[in-house]
Amino acid sequence: MVLYHAAVTLVPEMYPLVSMGQTGVTFFFLLSGFVLAWSMNPKTTKRQFYWRRFARIWPLHALTALAAVVLVFATQGDQSVPQLLASLLLVQGWLGDQHWVYAYNGVSWSLSCEAFFYAVFPFLAVRLARLEPGKLFRVGATVFVAAVSFIAVLLALGPGFDWGALFYTFPAFRIAEFIVGVCLAIAMRKGWKPRFGIGVGVAAAIGSFLILEIVDGIAPWHTAGPLAGALCIPGYALLIAAYADRDRCGGRPTFASSPAMVKLGEWSFALYLVHELVLRTALELGPESLAERAAFAVVGIAISIPLAGAAYTFFERPLEARLRNRASSRGPVAEPAEKTGSFAEPAPERTLTEASARG
């Protein structure tokens, strides 16, 4: 995603090489559903769940939105207070108009989708947790087919309309990826074990990119964006399942489980929210030639990584912990399930590193 935004912002000549990067949002939404379902706990009430999700994403979102306000003011950008309020309230993804969806810190549109996913998760989890793995896979497959068919039909019936711009950021459409992630996690919690390793998962993800090359030849890329993302669902789901199974079974460490990658994983949310602001600032400095713009992109990325680390260490993590502790100090951590309306089955004995770090 970082390279994709670097191309969009500074080096459009690089776009054909990294255009698949926009499907990283699909992976993120799948992983979000998987991690929430993988780590859900029967002692967590809906109220606790919503507060923890708020503590997890909103403070850093608000901080980066403030940074975006400063950037817009400094560059005399044409953005309004209502647009800022829509962003802060995380409703911009529903508005359709790209001037609103991408206002201020443009990448925060995905948090608008996440806020919707969080809102429905407790109710969704209750129903899906009652199903056995076979039915869960049928639900996931149905959701996948429905998403692909829906956008494919729209592309066929109205090829001149920019369906991609509308549905790429539309929460009600993107929830398909989240639901598949939830189904996969619950199936694994109930004992399903993939009969393939990481090699197959990686191959499946790469195979998704090959499929997208065909899609790119059929429809304009800006129009086919949501279709491309939906087509990546199976490949990314297999990749997540393979890594989750290895983590659960205590397999040999991989590159993804190295200390450096784990640290980058902890910083990933902060990196996502700060990198485009840094790249936009670099653009405002006026690089003109390809070499200058490429150099500014490299420097921008290099600055974004330690900046994200600092944001995580000194703001995101301590403020989240403080908000969670404040909620816990107001009452018992959990009450009996029948009194609180908890929504999850017991958590698995071994959780993913990702779940324990970001849950």
Side-chain angles (χ1 to χ4, degrees), residues 200-273:
V200 173
V202 171
I206 294 175
S208 298
F209 291 157
L210 299 178
I211 294 174
L212 297 189
E213 290 295 336
I214 299 175
V215 174
D216 192 19
I218 297 174
W221 188 254
H222 74 279
T223 302
L227 176 59
L231 288 172
C232 282
I233 290 176
Y236 286 161
L238 293 177
L239 179 64
I240 291 171
Y243 270 99
D245 185 60
R246 168 164 291 213
D247 185 58
R248 177 174 60 179
C249 297
R252 291 186 303 172
T254 64
F255 174 72
S257 61
S258 65
M261 293 303 294
V262 171
K263 182 62 66 177
L264 285 175
E266 292 176 346
W267 297 356
S268 61
F269 180 55
L271 178 60
Y272 181 74
L273 287 181

Side-chain angles (χ1 to χ4, degrees), residues 7 13 29 41 54 73 85 135 191 213 232 234 301 307 311 358:
E13 295 88 347
F29 288 160
N41 190 298
F54 171 84
F73 180 80
L85 292 176
K135 290 185 178 180
E213 290 295 336
C232 282
I301 293 172
L307 182 60
R358 301 181 63 81

